[in-house]
Amino acid sequence: MTILQQLETRLAAALADVLGEPARAIVVPAADLRFGDYQSNAAMVLAKQRKTNPRTLAEDVISKIDLAGIATAEIAGPGFINFRVLSDAYAARAMALLNDEKLGVPASGGGRTVVVDFSAPNVAKPMHVGHIRSTIIGDSLARIARFLGYRVITDNHIGDWGTQFGMILHGWKTMRDDEALERDPIAELVRVYRMVNVAAKADPAVLENCKTELVKLQAGDAENLAIWQQCIDVSKRGLEKIYTTLDVTFDHWLGESFFNDMLGPLVDEFLAKGIARESAGAVCVFSDGQGKPEDDPFRVHREEGWTDNPAIIRKADGGFLYATTDLATLQYRIDKWRADEIWYVVGVPQQLHFRQIFAAAERWGKTGNFRHVAFGSILGEDRKLMKTRSGENVGLIEVLDEAVERAAKVIAEKNPDLEGAKEIAEIVGIGAVKFAELSQNRLTDYVFAWDRMLALQGDTAPYLQYSHVRIRSIFRKLDAFFDATAAEIVLNEPEEIHLARLHARFGELLPQVLEDFRPNLLANYLLELARAFHSFFEACPVLKSDEPQRSSRLALCELTGRVLATGLGLLGIKCPVRM
RNA sequence: GCGCCUGUAGCUCAGUUGGAUAGAGCACCCGCCUUCUAAGCGGGCGGUCGCUGGUUCGAAUCCAGCCGGGCGCGCCA
């Protein structure tokens, strides 16, 4: 049990004793260490409900509460109950964590199956920095869920069947440069795509041509299918390379094309069950009339008032759409994979779309915990959304390369003789990019800036990695094997106590990350831990101290290293041994 | 027009869901390498939490109304 849970249990018991009935006892880490380690405002909340004096209630609770071996409690301000955890309790907790592979993290996932849908790039379109958020946040959430005991299935729902293929096919046939294709197939594909885009904008005839090619492809034209397959293969190879660099993996790559055959039957079923009906030649899911119009994803307010805003699942020309594929995908995940939950890590502009999909799925009888894990947009210098079609956006590969290059430069300055410098530059550079993304609240928009994303000092991945490096450096200098699992920890200095305090919080914090899908909570925690370690490192000599302090401090270092490495691992960031 | 997201230090951002004197990093200033890696540590400067009301013991957080930014709203994904 975590220290927080122990405090809550004992507080609840004392409250029940005083009030004569069970009551909720919420304990949180104290806002300020001067108030103690943990605090509860339960007395204020409950006194308000009962119209009694909060301080009196708090006093009664404190006189009854049994905190033996854990903490001391006192009342402050209008009725806060502040807990100061005994350093022996922290020491005991640290020793327990050293013998726990999960570092005190509970299995809150309970074996539930969750499908994490993230990254999902469009094939044959270049990945720019705007695509990084879904990939990095989704990967991290999948790792955390796995660690918390979920059965996790990651799925890269690539856009391999959209209307962009009309353009690609036309470009392939009319503008392809075979030599360039040989040299760098992805770049050539991207070049062709961009050129067609420009041409189609200028000339309606080109656009018409693209549409014809698309219709032929969807009708099963052999030549177009072959070209399509070739484009997919080339694109996938390019994507794999990026994912390898990012250390991101998927259990499945079920793109849009995979669900193609299921779309017709799906629409028929929707029609037969009355979930959808025809309107102006298209098949649409309309509002079921339940609930308030402002909460109804199938209704929208225009000048005239509230009007229908249906989800179209088949166009008047018989073609299928995004919504159709997403419904088929959802069905597959529920029926084939037995998913209890599906998390869609997709940008906030898609919010309405997912509200419609989830509502339609519910009417369809597909149940589960469906969550749109939305994130804010990455804006260009002009504060406008980055667009895929225009070529002026910063490419994802470009950013990653630059990150590694900058890291390499710092290594060359600080540690020119470093062995394996190239690999370490990669770990540090890529880590910096990932951390810049993950340490931020996922919902805020931000303007892309090189220096922000590639910073190597301050609140960054290298800061965390560096603390790990300092720890490993201590153990390298150690003459004999050190068994941390058997070590006796005794906490004296404030820096030692603070380290142990944070160790204890790891298991309390991690489940919270998934409550609202906020990896930045973990990122901020790790910064706090690293900060605590650097202070400890400066203030408390390890190897030069005498026993039993020496062993105790070594054990603290070992535990810190494990928590850091584990935490970084959950963010998808690696830990170098030297840097 | 209506809906969603957002506005916090010069800059970039946190803020445990209503708690105590609002926190970090960058930048700037002052100190610290003969001691386990200075990508570090210690200290300083810096705030009308967009604005105005309201709810209450208590508001950056909840409610209402304005102002600014981003996005979405029938046959693209």
Side-chain angles (χ1 to χ4, degrees):
Chain A
M1 217 195 295
T2 64
I3 287 177
L4 187 140
Q5 281 167 337
Q6 292 181 55
L7 290 173
E8 283 191 336
T9 306
R10 298 191 186 205
L11 178 61
L15 279 168
D17 195 4
V18 171
L19 298 170
E21 57 180 327
R24 270 191 94 187
I26 293 177
V27 174
V28 297
D32 192 313
L33 282 179
R34 277 171 305 183
F35 303 134
D37 296 282
Y38 294 87
Q39 63 182 45
S40 176
N41 57 18
M44 288 185 286
V45 174
L46 293 166
K48 190 175 189 174
Q49 284 168 10
R50 274 149 235 264
K51 300 200 193 307
T52 58
N53 186 315
R55 275 199 76 105
T56 313
L57 176 58
E59 275 161 24
D60 289 349
V61 168
I62 283 199
S63 68
K64 293 268 163 105
I65 195 165
D66 171 22
L67 292 172
I70 302 181
T72 57
E74 59 181 31
I75 303 167
F80 291 102
I81 299 172
N82 291 335
F83 299 100
R84 203 166 294 275
V85 175
L86 307 175
S87 62
D88 283 353
Y90 275 140
R93 182 70 180 157
M95 287 186 274
L97 294 181
L98 276 166
N99 288 284
D100 178 9
E101 255 182 37
K102 289 284 179 180
L103 297 165
V105 176
S108 60
R112 284 193 300 283
T113 298
V114 57
V115 174
V116 187
D117 178 324
F118 66 99
S119 197
N122 278 316
V123 159
K125 286 188 193 174
M127 262 183 144
H128 63 70
V129 284
H131 294 110
I132 205 174
R133 275 192 120 161
S134 174
T135 309
I136 291 176
I137 294 172
D139 177 58
S140 172
L141 291 175
R143 288 171 189 262
I144 294 168
R146 214 171 281 129
F147 195 76
L148 286 172
Y150 283 89
R151 177 178 161 249
V152 176
I153 300 173
T154 52
D155 186 15
N156 194 6
H157 189 64
I158 53 172
D160 59 0
W161 196 249
T163 38
Q164 83 265 28
F165 274 100
M167 296 207 179
I168 292 159
L169 285 164
H170 173 76
W172 184 276
K173 290 179 179 177
T174 59
M175 308 174 179
R176 190 184 72 231
D177 176 344
D178 278 322
E179 238 176 77
L181 192 69
E182 186 89 8
R183 226 177 20 245
D184 187 349
I186 299 142
E188 174 60 8
L189 213 53
V190 166
R191 185 192 68 88
V192 165
Y193 178 73
R194 281 183 180 148
M195 283 193 58
V196 180
N197 239 297
V198 173
K201 235 173 234 165
D203 184 359
V206 172
L207 193 62
E208 236 0 85
N209 221 319
C210 293
K211 281 185 184 168
T212 312
E213 295 291 358
L214 182 68
V215 171
K216 274 171 70 183
L217 173 71
Q218 293 182 337
D221 175 82
E223 188 198 1
N224 277 12
L225 266 176
I227 296 172
W228 170 79
Q229 190 60 55
Q230 208 177 334
C231 291
I232 301 289
D233 292 345
V234 163
S235 290
K236 272 194 184 171
R237 275 199 292 275
L239 290 172
E240 297 269 22
K241 211 171 146 191
I242 292 179
Y243 291 132
T244 302
T245 305
L246 287 174
D247 190 27
V248 169
T249 56
F250 297 93
D251 299 314
H252 301 278
W253 287 61
L254 299 189
E256 292 169 346
S257 65
F258 178 82
F259 299 95
N260 208 25
D261 296 339
M262 306 173 203
L263 304 183
L266 185 149
V267 173
D268 293 340
E269 188 185 342
F270 268 56
L271 281 168
K273 290 188 171 161
I275 305 166
R277 63 180 157 85
E278 233 181 270
S279 166
V283 177
C284 311
V285 179
F286 283 95
S287 169
D288 59 2
Q290 314 280 312
K292 290 180 283 187
E294 57 267 35
D295 299 330
D296 191 333
F298 302 104
R299 292 182 65 76
V300 71
H301 196 281
R302 298 227 172 70
E303 289 80 29
E304 326 84 71
W306 291 99
T307 61
D308 284 324
N309 176 46
I312 300 171
I313 57 173
R314 194 172 71 201
K315 296 191 278 184
D317 68 7
F320 303 108
L321 294 113
Y322 184 34
T324 331
T325 315
D326 264 358
L327 283 166
T329 307
L330 183 144
Q331 168 183 236
Y332 187 88
R333 289 168 177 169
I334 298 282
D335 294 350
K336 288 277 198 292
W337 290 344
R338 301 276 153 214
D340 300 304
E341 313 197 8
I342 307 177
W343 302 344
Y344 295 86
V345 187
V346 181
V348 80
Q350 314 269 357
Q351 203 223 48
L352 183 62
H353 166 76
F354 281 109
R355 285 181 60 212
Q356 291 188 331
I357 295 295
F358 297 163
E362 198 188 339
R363 274 197 249 165
W364 195 17
K366 306 291 173 195
T367 54
N369 185 17
F370 309 134
R371 303 291 293 272
H372 176 204
V373 182
F375 52 85
S377 309
I378 302 183
L379 310 176
E381 300 281 315
D382 54 357
R383 287 203 62 83
K384 292 285 178 203
L385 201 59
M386 288 200 168
K387 288 276 190 279
T388 313
R389 288 176 196 184
S390 44
E392 64 269 20
N393 283 321
V394 184
L396 182 50
I397 298 175
E398 222 181 306
V399 172
L400 300 179
D401 287 350
E402 175 76 17
V404 174
E405 208 173 291
R406 287 193 191 193
K409 210 171 143 194
V410 174
I411 292 171
E413 281 166 15
K414 292 184 186 293
N415 203 349
D417 302 327
L418 185 62
E419 222 175 291
K422 208 179 151 218
E423 288 74 19
I424 291 164
E426 184 139 325
I427 291 172
V428 171
I430 301 297
V433 171
K434 286 189 166 192
F435 193 82
E437 188 59 67
L438 292 166
S439 58
Q440 203 160 135
N441 186 312
R442 64 181 161 83
L443 282 168
T444 41
D445 295 352
Y446 66 87
V447 176
F448 173 79
W450 287 99
D451 287 343
R452 194 193 70 86
M453 193 164 258
L454 304 184
L456 301 174
Q457 261 151 24
D459 283 353
T460 61
Y463 180 79
L464 304 178
Q465 291 165 327
Y466 184 57
S467 50
H468 185 258
V469 162
R470 281 180 141 184
I471 292 167
R472 293 331 308 168
S473 179
I474 291 173
F475 283 99
R476 253 199 313 279
K477 300 243 157 90
L478 202 56
D479 29 32
F481 171 74
F482 176 74
D483 181 9
T485 61
E488 181 76 19
I489 293 180
V490 181
L491 304 171
N492 294 312
E493 301 304 316
E495 289 84 359
E496 296 174 304
I497 294 170
H498 193 47
L499 262 185
R501 174 185 290 127
L502 291 174
H503 294 150
R505 284 198 191 151
F506 185 60
E508 299 170 0
L509 168 118
L510 209 54
Q512 218 184 326
V513 172
L514 288 190
E515 270 170 31
D516 204 23
F517 307 106
R518 287 165 49 177
N520 68 310
L521 293 180
L522 175 57
N524 292 338
Y525 164 82
L526 292 173
L527 284 171
E528 213 179 330
L529 179 62
R531 218 169 277 136
F533 178 74
H534 285 304
S535 298
F536 164 86
F537 186 89
E538 305 275 343
C540 306
V542 177
L543 297 175
K544 294 205 163 105
S545 61
D546 300 323
E547 291 295 356
Q549 197 169 52
R550 187 171 183 264
S551 288
S552 171
R553 288 183 175 172
L554 276 168
L556 280 177
C557 288
E558 173 66 24
L559 183 53
T560 305
R562 276 198 215 165
V563 175
L564 275 170
T566 304
L568 277 168
L570 292 172
L571 297 176
I573 298 170
K574 291 178 190 163
C575 263
V577 177
R578 302 165 206 255
M579 66 190 274

